[in-house]
Amino acid sequence: MPDHHIIDAHTHVFPSELGQDPCAWAAARNEPHWAELVAPAGQAGIQDWADPQDMLNAMDAHSIQRAILLGWYWENEDTCRWHNQTIAQWVAHAPDRFIGFASILPNKNTRDQLEAAHDLGLRGVGELHIGIQNFHAESAAWRTLADWCTDHHWPVNLHVTEAAGHTHPGSHAATPLQAFVRLAQSAPELKLILAHWGGGLPFFEANPRISKILRNVYYDSAASPLLYKPEIFRRVADLVGHEKILFGSDYPLRLYPAIQKRAGYSQFLQDIDQHSGLNQNEQQALLGGNLRKLLGES
Ligand SMILES: [Zn+2]
């Protein structure tokens, strides 16, 4: 596969039931955080929805060869397992385009959840949320998950809320940065992908003790246009090295709600090309090269 093919490291697949009446669905399944994000009281939502063909069309329009389909940080194991079936169906629909990651709730059944996801053909874990799903570096369930994923070369994608920022749906669910340092320290060989530029953690990689602990930590750009100016790409690359940054969109989130009615890639890729401050080599690393290495493909 030529080097310039793009891989999106952070997209979401949602079972179609989720979008029809998010509040009723969330109430029935006891998933309150979901309702708050997707149907925030008094605000227009920015979530869009896609079926496999919509997503493949969006990818084809911009030479995006493959995408990691992430699950979600559900509050119930049953919801995770149910969601993983949908992810596996999407992967079966286009196995050379989609890479499935599993929804997992770190709990006493973690190993069984991971093995079930493995049997479905999934290849990683995420997106997890330490606050919503209530785990930390010393949790027995994290230990199980980290060991299993290290042994199976499965990366783990973790949601990180920006450590300082404006108020938006989801922003109250704090994810203290030090908790991620501890997670990395607890599993030095595990490949961690911290979403949304790691919520600001790259700044602390300027401390050589921290950068050593975080050597297997990567940062994705999911939802970046909703939070930061495009110069953030250059800034993070300067802090952590361009080898540790991954292009992720958060598709099918609408990244430019003021100008974009449906989810898509054109404005984001144009901003990266023209305003990220990354040169062509760095852009190739960001857009796929780094992830290919992380997945053990090159
Ligand atoms: Zn996230």
Side-chain angles (χ1 to χ4, degrees):
M1 194 171 292
D3 244 13
H4 60 270
H5 278 155
I6 300 172
I7 316 177
D8 187 339
H10 189 131
T11 74
H12 290 285
V13 159
F14 296 113
S16 52
E17 292 93 312
L18 287 175
Q20 287 153 14
D21 186 348
C23 293
W25 180 89
R29 302 291 292 246
N30 191 28
E31 295 285 354
H33 188 66
W34 170 256
E36 191 188 309
L37 280 181
V38 175
Q43 289 181 53
I46 53 169
Q47 189 65 56
D48 195 6
W49 312 94
D51 67 19
Q53 201 52 51
D54 293 332
M55 181 161 173
L56 289 169
N57 292 343
M59 290 164 65
D60 287 344
H62 298 284
S63 304
I64 296 170
Q65 181 62 29
R66 290 183 290 165
I68 291 181
L69 307 177
L70 295 174
W72 192 255
Y73 33 89
W74 300 114
E75 299 169 70
N76 297 276
E77 181 186 332
D78 285 353
T79 321
C80 292
R81 288 180 182 267
W82 170 77
H83 191 178
N84 292 343
Q85 302 283 341
T86 300
I87 296 168
Q89 284 161 14
W90 281 53
V91 172
H93 181 85
D96 49 356
R97 307 295 302 280
F98 293 144
I99 302 163
F101 277 28
S103 299
I104 300 287
L105 177 67
N107 65 9
K108 62 184 188 329
N109 300 325
T110 297
R111 173 176 294 275
D112 191 66
Q113 291 183 63
L114 289 163
E115 282 168 0
H118 186 267
D119 290 347
L120 287 171
L122 307 189
R123 294 176 54 188
V125 168
E127 187 176 4
L128 303 184
H129 193 306
I130 59 170
I132 304 293
Q133 296 184 308
N134 197 23
F135 63 93
H136 52 79
E138 284 79 42
S139 305
W142 167 256
R143 194 64 273 145
T144 302
L145 184 137
D147 288 347
W148 194 95
C149 290
T150 302
D151 289 348
H152 291 79
H153 305 288
W154 274 30
V156 176
N157 184 304
L158 296 157
H159 171 92
V160 191
T161 301
E162 62 279 14
H166 69 292
T167 302
H168 58 80
S171 64
H172 77 279
T175 53
L177 297 185
Q178 184 67 8
F180 298 96
V181 177
R182 297 247 154 78
L183 293 177
Q185 206 161 19
S186 77
E189 300 308 317
L190 179 64
K191 302 269 196 260
L192 289 177
I193 302 171
L194 301 187
H196 320 296
W197 298 123
L201 188 58
F203 175 81
F204 298 96
E205 288 221 22
N207 177 339
R209 293 186 193 87
I210 300 299
S211 64
K212 192 172 171 204
I213 293 168
L214 301 180
R215 67 188 178 281
N216 278 316
V217 169
Y218 296 75
Y219 301 91
D220 83 34
S221 65
S224 192
L226 292 166
L227 297 166
Y228 305 108
K229 297 185 285 189
E231 293 83 349
I232 186 80
F233 286 84
R234 174 79 266 154
R235 307 258 186 277
V236 177
D238 286 342
L239 287 162
V240 305
H242 70 268
E243 307 81 3
K244 302 223 300 175
I245 58 175
L246 305 174
F247 168 67
S249 64
D250 231 345
Y251 183 92
L253 204 63
R254 291 188 297 128
L255 300 177
Y256 298 85
I259 59 168
Q260 188 190 43
K261 288 205 163 43
R262 296 297 311 267
Y265 285 102
S266 51
Q267 187 67 41
F268 194 22
L269 287 171
Q270 193 181 317
D271 274 353
I272 291 170
D273 188 45
Q274 294 176 10
H275 304 297
S276 68
L278 299 179
N279 66 34
Q280 286 304 311
N281 277 345
E282 291 167 329
Q283 286 194 29
Q284 282 194 12
L286 166 84
L287 291 168
N290 293 340
L291 187 58
R292 275 191 284 278
K293 283 190 193 133
L294 195 162
L295 294 172
E297 296 175 1
S298 62

